[in-house]
Amino acid sequence: MHIDAWAQAVIKDAQLRGLSELAPLLGGLVRATQTLRQADWNESAERTDRQDATAAKDPK
Protein backbone atom coordinates (compact mmCIF):
# COMPACT_ATOMS: atom_id res chain seq x y z
CA MET A 1 0.00 0.00 0.00
CA HIS A 2 1.36 3.40 -0.92
CA ILE A 3 1.56 6.13 1.71
CA ASP A 4 -1.08 8.29 -0.01
CA ALA A 5 -3.63 5.47 -0.09
CA TRP A 6 -2.83 4.59 3.51
CA ALA A 7 -3.19 8.22 4.60
CA GLN A 8 -6.61 8.55 2.99
CA ALA A 9 -7.76 5.29 4.55
CA VAL A 10 -6.67 6.09 8.12
CA ILE A 11 -8.05 9.62 8.04
CA LYS A 12 -11.39 8.37 6.68
CA ASP A 13 -11.44 5.61 9.31
CA ALA A 14 -10.79 8.12 12.10
CA GLN A 15 -13.62 10.32 10.83
CA LEU A 16 -16.01 7.36 10.61
CA ARG A 17 -15.18 6.51 14.22
CA GLY A 18 -15.97 10.06 15.31
CA LEU A 19 -12.29 10.89 15.88
CA SER A 20 -11.97 13.74 13.38
CA GLU A 21 -9.65 15.57 15.80
CA LEU A 22 -7.01 12.97 14.89
CA ALA A 23 -6.87 14.15 11.25
CA PRO A 24 -4.21 16.86 11.86
CA LEU A 25 -2.08 14.42 13.87
CA LEU A 26 -2.38 11.76 11.20
CA GLY A 27 -1.47 14.36 8.59
CA GLY A 28 1.71 15.10 10.54
CA LEU A 29 2.51 11.40 10.72
CA VAL A 30 2.04 11.09 6.97
CA ARG A 31 4.35 14.06 6.25
CA ALA A 32 7.01 12.71 8.62
CA THR A 33 6.81 9.25 7.04
CA GLN A 34 7.12 10.72 3.55
CA THR A 35 10.15 12.77 4.61
CA LEU A 36 11.86 9.72 6.09
CA ARG A 37 11.14 7.59 3.04
CA GLN A 38 12.57 10.25 0.72
CA ALA A 39 15.83 10.54 2.65
CA ASP A 40 18.87 9.70 0.53
CA TRP A 41 20.22 7.32 3.18
CA ASN A 42 17.10 5.17 3.05
CA GLU A 43 17.24 1.96 1.00
CA SER A 44 14.45 1.40 -1.45
CA ALA A 45 11.86 -1.10 -0.25
CA GLU A 46 11.58 -2.27 -3.84
CA ARG A 47 15.16 -3.59 -4.04
CA THR A 48 15.40 -7.33 -4.47
CA ASP A 49 19.19 -7.75 -4.57
CA ARG A 50 20.00 -7.34 -0.89
CA GLN A 51 20.46 -10.08 1.65
CA ASP A 52 18.44 -10.51 4.76
CA ALA A 53 19.96 -8.08 7.27
CA THR A 54 20.05 -10.65 10.04
CA ALA A 55 21.69 -13.29 7.85
CA ALA A 56 24.38 -10.86 6.73
CA LYS A 57 25.58 -10.04 10.25
CA ASP A 58 28.60 -11.84 11.65
CA PRO A 59 27.87 -13.67 14.91
CA LYS A 60 29.98 -12.44 17.82
Side-chain angles (χ1 to χ4, degrees):
M1 176 179 279
H2 289 282
I3 189 79
D4 294 329
W6 173 80
Q8 290 174 359
V10 296
I11 290 171
K12 184 176 180 178
D13 183 59
Q15 291 170 340
L16 290 173
R17 293 173 187 257
L19 302 170
S20 57
E21 65 276 3
L22 288 179
L25 296 173
L26 293 169
L29 176 62
V30 169
R31 287 187 299 279
T33 302
Q34 288 172 327
T35 299
L36 288 171
R37 287 191 175 184
Q38 292 171 357
D40 61 357
W41 48 265
N42 197 11
E43 291 186 30
S44 172
E46 296 172 359
R47 282 186 55 184
T48 58
D49 63 339
R50 64 178 171 224
Q51 294 179 339
D52 181 4
T54 56
K57 290 184 180 179
D58 291 331
K60 293 184 179 184

